[in-house]
Amino acid sequence: MFSQLHAHCVKKGPKILGLPASLTPFFVKKLLLQQLLNWQFRHSLAEGELNFLEGRFLGIEIGDVNLTWVTTIQNGQLAVLQDAEADVWFRGNANDLLLVAARKADPDMLFFQRRLVIEGDTELGLEVKNVMDAIELDAMPTPLRTGLQQLAAFVEAGMTLDSKAAQARAGDTC
């Protein structure tokens, strides 16, 4: 019973979160995203590792949560924009992107399974991917890392439970 509820929460949770995300004004999302991104990437920004984004635009779309934004470097900080034309787009669903961020899923595998889509300037996309791959979980701020790992473990377990339930149903007669 609880495992079914767990799997259901993981499967439907992002769509449920999509409603408040779509109703939240962009300026609120912008403030939250800019603070979170600049907090997470503060060392990379200080060391100039993200300077390649200056004057270039990275689009991120989390489709099942209705969350889309474009980011670039402005005045040495990551800026979140709503209507800018992105040079490259990273698109995926919330659960997959969460698992990638927590190092519980391989982005290349998701790319080849078409669960992670990268469109546009492939050179820029590769630079972004390389920076993301180089981030050590231990370098993340502790509250962010702990929350990310706990949520990823919950999602991973729920996806596994849902997969097992689907396999069990595959043998059932209609």
Side-chain angles (χ1 to χ4, degrees), residues 63-96:
D64 56 350
V65 182
N66 297 319
L67 187 57
T68 302
W69 75 91
V70 175
T71 191
T72 189
I73 299 289
Q74 291 179 346
N75 301 319
Q77 295 290 302
L78 286 163
V80 172
L81 310 167
Q82 183 174 19
D83 295 321
E85 187 71 33
D87 296 304
V88 65
W89 279 97
F90 279 66
R91 293 183 168 97
N93 71 44
N95 289 337
D96 288 336

Side-chain angles (χ1 to χ4, degrees), residues 7-75:
H8 186 72
C9 285
V10 168
K11 189 174 187 176
K12 299 293 183 186
K15 290 188 189 305
I16 293 168
L17 291 174
L19 180 61
S22 63
L23 296 175
T24 303
F26 186 78
F27 76 89
V28 174
K29 292 186 263 193
K30 176 181 177 170
L31 279 172
L32 292 171
L33 286 167
Q34 278 185 174
Q35 287 180 347
L36 181 66
L37 291 170
N38 282 296
W39 183 39
Q40 165 56 37
F41 293 104
R42 66 189 181 282
H43 297 298
S44 298
L45 286 164
E47 294 175 15
E49 294 173 1
L50 298 175
N51 288 349
F52 68 89
L53 270 177
E54 213 163 309
R56 302 184 76 195
F57 299 89
L58 164 67
I60 300 177
E61 180 181 312
I62 308 171
D64 56 350
V65 182
N66 297 319
L67 187 57
T68 302
W69 75 91
V70 175
T71 191
T72 189
I73 299 289
Q74 291 179 346
N75 301 319

Side-chain angles (χ1 to χ4, degrees), residues 90-168:
F90 279 66
R91 293 183 168 97
N93 71 44
N95 289 337
D96 288 336
L97 294 174
L98 175 70
L99 293 176
V100 166
R103 303 292 195 264
K104 292 187 174 284
D106 177 30
D108 293 327
M109 178 194 69
L110 295 177
F111 177 77
F112 288 115
Q113 292 175 348
R114 299 176 197 252
R115 292 167 49 191
L116 174 63
V117 177
I118 303 170
E119 297 175 329
D121 183 338
T122 54
E123 182 180 330
L124 178 59
L126 188 57
E127 285 182 85
V128 170
K129 182 190 170 299
N130 289 339
V131 168
M132 299 301 291
D133 286 344
I135 294 172
E136 297 293 329
L137 285 178
D138 292 339
M140 282 185 174
T142 303
L144 181 60
R145 181 183 65 244
T146 302
L148 177 69
Q149 289 175 325
Q150 289 176 348
L151 188 55
F154 180 81
V155 166
E156 185 177 42
M159 290 173 85
T160 301
L161 289 169
D162 190 46
S163 170
K164 288 179 182 176
Q167 288 174 351

